Amino acid sequence: MKIFKNKSNLLKEISKIKDLAFVPTMGSIHKGHLSLINKAKKVSKNVLISIYINPKQFNSNSDFKKYPRNLNKDISILKKIKIKYLYLPTYDDIYSFSPKYSVHLDKFTNKLCGKSRPGHFKGVLNVVNRFIEIIKPRLIFLGSKDFQQLTLIRLHVKKHKIQTRITVCPTIREKNGAAISSRNEKLKKNQVGIAGKVYKYLKSLKKKTDSINLKKKQLKIINEIMLLGVKKVDYLEYINIKTLKSVSKINKNCKIFIAYHLGKIRLIDNL
């Protein structure tokens, strides 16, 4: 595996590669990342992984500092699965130039995580836009756990007619159903169990689409979720994933979206 710590050396290596598949990460490589990487490897021999914890998408410096960091472990994992390229950019690599395209923030930015994390998605789109401009990948692989982020990146790419194709990969879950996330590393064993209970509760809720009006029973549902051991629920919403609008009842085009806290750890999920 070739490791690049600045973009000039990286570009000397990849500038002539036409089938480059890119998997951006913030490290703490887990099964969800490995699922993205495996899909990338199936379509290209030239897979590039980035590890960069982007300060601009955090709402506080303390949250940025607390984000899990396991670089040596990550490098070991990526070497074992024979990744061809790893990019470990510096802040200056990413932010020392003016990108060709301005960040396009669709109005969907203002829903869900956009309400409780102002500026978060502007930071995400900013760094992804810059990565794409530097690397110019043919394909980029993203997970559906971060549905809002994924959707906003798609809309940004579509708006500017950027010639990078987005491949969406399904959410990977623990045995108990909890969505796998780098933040899970900060959870205690009992908290992982609570996350599994939340998933099972929401799964059962989704089956009751004919009888559940979320707006009318939202407070009751949130209270029931908190009785499972959740400290706080940031939001619980039904969203039509075609129109990106909130709805009261679920139909075939809808998902339940949630953000909640287990101790000091904030988790998101959708199903």
Side-chain angles (χ1 to χ4, degrees), residues 54-68:
N54 176 36
K56 292 186 179 290
Q57 67 189 70
F58 288 84
N59 295 97
S60 71
N61 192 46
S62 61
D63 191 26
F64 170 68
K65 288 181 177 179
K66 286 187 295 185
Y67 195 84

Side-chain angles (χ1 to χ4, degrees), residues 5 71 127 132 161-162 169 185 211 218 252:
K5 295 185 178 180
L71 185 57
V127 75
I132 290 174
K161 299 179 182 179
I162 297 171
C169 303
E185 290 191 14
S211 58
Q218 189 176 41
K252 65 179 181 178

